[in-house]
Amino acid sequence: MMRLVARRLIISVALVLFISLLTFVLQTLAPGDVARTILGCGGQTASCPEQQYQALRHELGLDQPLMVQYWQWLSQALTGDLGVSPVSGLDVSSAILSRLPVTASLVLLGTAATALVGVSVGVLSAVRGGRLGRVVDVLSLLGFALPNFWLALVFMALFSVTLGLLPATGYVPIDVSPRDWALSLILPVGTLMLAGMAGFAKQTRDSMLESLSQEYVRFLRANGASELSIVFRHALRNAAIPVVTMVGMLFVGLFSGALFIESVFALPGMGRLAVQATLGHDLPIVQGVVVVFTLIVVATNLVVDLVYGWLNPKVRVT
């Protein structure tokens, strides 16, 4: 297991460095110029005083070679300092940390709700079968077909505008009012949950059906083991191997889904910060958000690999 952890950590560090460098390079190739944005030139060379423009580029270090700029940024980032945005004047680390709880609440609750409901429905449909299994198949197709932003608009129109039961937009921190915090997240979390729940239930049901058809299940039943023990103690653990992988994929996928959900429900999270920074050509903010997202994805994959190794000892030697 220790070799597995060491191997995954080495791969993770290399991946984070590669993604940060790739993002840095792509930013330099993107249309626009930070110095012209700050001077309000709108990308038009003729409207910018050349001397002032070159002086600002020198002050920002934009006239240095690309790898020198990247090394300077990386040296600061390794100490936890992602710099200060020259466009907005925001401290990048502080801006991200202030919005991370919003996105974390949305994604964690969405993952937990999707996994809990999806696994419950999947196990129930595998044990009971029949009509419920066909319903899960239909719902899985609908879940894949319906986009998150469309569900968000439908929920907003129904529960906020028509019924007036839940707030349509906005976010209340949990330390201000736990009740209002929960109410502000019901619609966003519900949107994310319904989009992924059906597919999760189908994967769980298929894995459970495969586990329940194995020889050891018939052996346990012949020896008088209770059905609850067979389902939850034996079959579900073996069926959990692909489900755990799907949890990791769901968690990572919800971060991309949160980008649209935060925009629809006006949540002040990292996804909305990334959209605003991109529209404003605020490259340091974009770079910081991408690095943080990459770290979260890498950490999630590492945890999934460790849990997978615990559930399936065969992967520890691969």
Coordinates of all heavy atoms in Angstrom, one line a residue, residues 24 45 59 114-116 129 154 177 217:
F24 N -0.4 28.5 -17.7 CA 0.4 29.7 -17.8 C 0.8 30.0 -19.3 O 0.7 31.2 -19.7 CB 1.7 29.5 -17.0 CG 2.4 30.8 -16.6 CD1 2.1 31.4 -15.4 CD2 3.3 31.5 -17.4 CE1 2.6 32.6 -15.0 CE2 3.9 32.6 -17.0 CZ 3.6 33.2 -15.8
T45 N -3.7 49.1 -30.1 CA -2.3 49.5 -29.9 C -2.3 51.1 -30.0 O -1.6 51.7 -29.3 CB -1.4 48.9 -30.9 OG1 -1.6 47.5 -30.8 CG2 0.0 49.3 -30.7
E59 N 7.1 46.8 -15.3 CA 6.7 46.8 -13.9 C 6.1 45.4 -13.5 O 6.3 44.9 -12.5 CB 5.8 47.9 -13.6 CG 5.4 48.0 -12.1 CD 4.4 49.1 -11.8 OE1 4.2 50.0 -12.7 OE2 3.8 49.1 -10.8
T114 N -26.3 12.8 -3.9 CA -26.4 12.0 -5.1 C -26.0 10.5 -4.8 O -26.6 9.6 -5.2 CB -25.5 12.5 -6.2 OG1 -25.8 13.8 -6.5 CG2 -25.5 11.7 -7.4
A115 N -24.9 10.4 -4.0 CA -24.4 9.0 -3.7 C -25.4 8.3 -2.8 O -25.7 7.1 -2.9 CB -23.0 9.1 -3.0
L116 N -25.9 9.0 -1.8 CA -26.9 8.4 -0.8 C -28.1 7.9 -1.5 O -28.6 6.8 -1.4 CB -27.2 9.4 0.3 CG -28.1 8.9 1.4 CD1 -27.6 7.7 2.1 CD2 -28.5 10.0 2.4
G129 N -36.0 -5.6 -8.1 CA -36.1 -5.9 -9.5 C -37.4 -5.4 -10.1 O -38.1 -4.6 -9.6
V154 N -35.8 25.5 -14.3 CA -37.1 24.9 -14.1 C -37.4 24.9 -12.6 O -38.5 25.3 -12.1 CB -37.2 23.5 -14.6 CG1 -38.5 22.8 -14.1 CG2 -37.2 23.5 -16.1
S177 N -26.4 32.3 9.5 CA -27.7 31.6 9.8 C -27.7 30.2 9.2 O -27.8 30.1 7.9 CB -28.9 32.4 9.2 OG -30.1 31.8 9.3
V217 N -22.7 -16.0 -3.0 CA -24.0 -15.6 -2.5 C -24.9 -16.8 -2.3 O -25.7 -16.9 -1.3 CB -24.7 -14.5 -3.4 CG1 -26.1 -14.2 -3.0 CG2 -23.9 -13.3 -3.4

